[in-house]
Amino acid sequence: IVRALTLLEAGQCVALPTETVYGLAADATNELALEKIFTAKGRPKNHPLIVHLASAKQLEQWACDIPNAAYKLAKAFWPGPLTLLLKKAPDVNNVVTGGLTTIGLRVPSHPLFLNVLEQFGKGLAAPSANRYKQLSPTSAEQVINGLNGRIDAVLEGGICEHGLESTIIDLVSETPRVLRAGPITTKQLEQVLGFPVATPESHIEVVPGNVKAHYQPNTPVKMMTEKEILALVDCEEVPNMHVIMHSQALSQTLTCSLKLAQLTLLPNNAKEYGKALYGTLYRIDKLGTQLIVVQLPPTKEEWRAVNDRLSRAAC
């Protein structure tokens, strides 16, 4: 932690563990440090960065015209995997907001990141610690694999608790909207706020993760139904592929097939599936298969974040 703080105070980039994915952190008040994030990731400069805070008490330093809904959600879900999109304070650097008048803010719950934030005393911008559009890392190994030589250090913090990026809720629009599905569901947000929250299937707001192709391994990914997977396996020439599924029955059927040996069964539980997803894609990506086939997950609300990430990975 001392070494990480020394580097951050010197304007360098350090990958830090969060409860969602590893973030590439830099001083959110230092324009040169922020530029290094964009360079390391190969990220377009008009894509805003989420600023991480030590507590909700720092909200007023970064945002203005803060609605009461923001304080309600912060009290309920911070520290945790929820990002609030608010109007930025006048003196916030335009580099961190991608030139927009809004800013994404959250308080992470990972104890190491919180410790760094508390000692650092300022906000840390921290998008996922990966090359632009590639798989988000959920372990230090994945960070090093993607950014070795491009950043200064990684603070080892184990495997991330959730494994998917934070939920982003827009509190600037007249009606609150979920702009990125994540570990905090729309139902949970509505229970705290006491009124409906919109969940648009698509939107044009520039927020982290809102590009068609994202979260991608190097190996092509294709989403298929159970019926389509079985038909593919029954073909005379089965491609060199790896199948990811959540159905125990499908797993048993494919295991009995002499044609296909590369199988991964993930939990039939949205939270545990999401936690394992990026790490599984990373592992399979290193095996040299030609195609990753993913069984379409359920469409229930709790699976929304998983479906969102997979739909972008399969583009």
Side-chain angles (χ1 to χ4, degrees), residues 59 62-71 73 83-89 97 100-105 168-179 193 195 197-198 205-207:
L59 267 175
W62 295 90
C64 63
D65 301 333
I66 303 171
N68 188 49
Y71 294 103
L73 292 173
T83 295
L84 307 181
L85 190 70
L86 301 164
K87 290 183 181 179
K88 81 175 187 74
T97 64
L100 301 175
T101 58
T102 55
I103 186 168
L105 300 169
I168 298 178
I169 182 170
D170 168 20
L171 295 177
V172 177
S173 300
E174 186 173 341
T175 300
R177 300 179 296 163
V178 172
L179 299 184
L193 293 175
F195 51 78
V197 173
E205 302 297 333
V206 182
V207 295

Side-chain angles (χ1 to χ4, degrees), residues 184-188 199 299-305:
I184 305 298
T185 66
T186 302
K187 184 177 180 181
Q188 289 175 293
T199 54
T299 55
K300 296 177 182 177
E301 160 69 11
E302 61 265 29
W303 287 87
R304 188 163 176 249

Side-chain angles (χ1 to χ4, degrees), residues 83-301:
T83 295
L84 307 181
L85 190 70
L86 301 164
K87 290 183 181 179
K88 81 175 187 74
D91 58 346
V92 171
N93 195 307
N94 283 330
V95 175
V96 81
T97 64
L100 301 175
T101 58
T102 55
I103 186 168
L105 300 169
R106 90 175 184 98
V107 177
S109 65
H110 196 290
L112 290 181
F113 202 155
L114 268 181
N115 194 326
V116 170
L117 282 165
E118 288 163 359
Q119 294 190 56
F120 191 63
K122 294 178 285 185
L124 287 172
S128 55
N130 56 290
R131 298 297 300 275
Y132 182 58
K133 292 191 176 182
Q134 294 186 354
L135 279 175
S136 297
T138 55
S139 69
E141 176 191 332
Q142 289 173 255
V143 177
I144 293 168
N145 184 68
L147 293 178
N148 192 27
R150 305 179 71 88
I151 63 174
D152 293 274
V154 184
L155 182 60
E156 170 64 69
I159 303 297
C160 297
E161 176 188 355
H162 293 287
L164 295 177
E165 296 80 359
S166 64
T167 303
I168 298 178
I169 182 170
D170 168 20
L171 295 177
V172 177
S173 300
E174 186 173 341
T175 300
R177 300 179 296 163
V178 172
L179 299 184
R180 181 175 72 187
I184 305 298
T185 66
T186 302
K187 184 177 180 181
Q188 289 175 293
L189 297 170
E190 290 176 335
Q191 286 174 339
V192 170
L193 293 175
F195 51 78
V197 173
T199 54
E201 288 298 319
S202 62
H203 59 83
I204 59 171
E205 302 297 333
V206 182
V207 295
N210 189 37
V211 290
K212 187 176 181 181
H214 212 337
Y215 316 112
Q216 296 186 320
N218 295 312
T219 308
V221 175
K222 190 170 184 178
M223 307 284 289
M224 302 179 78
T225 64
E226 181 173 342
K227 185 176 180 180
E228 289 170 332
I229 293 171
L230 291 172
L232 182 60
V233 172
D234 284 338
C235 290
E236 289 187 8
E237 293 186 12
V238 179
N240 178 19
M241 65 180 183
H242 195 116
V243 179
I244 298 174
M245 72 219 91
H246 60 274
S247 166
Q248 185 75 44
L250 178 59
S251 175
Q252 290 173 349
T253 300
L254 294 179
T255 300
C256 294
S257 170
L258 298 177
K259 296 180 180 180
L260 194 63
Q262 300 181 84
L263 306 170
T264 295
L265 177 64
L266 293 184
N268 192 16
N269 170 284
K271 181 176 180 179
E272 294 304 315
Y273 187 109
K275 180 178 181 178
L277 178 59
Y278 289 151
T280 298
L281 290 172
Y282 169 76
R283 174 179 59 81
I284 296 172
D285 209 18
K286 298 170 68 176
L287 299 177
T289 55
Q290 296 174 322
L291 177 66
I292 300 173
V293 173
V294 182
Q295 180 189 7
L296 280 167
T299 55
K300 296 177 182 177
E301 160 69 11

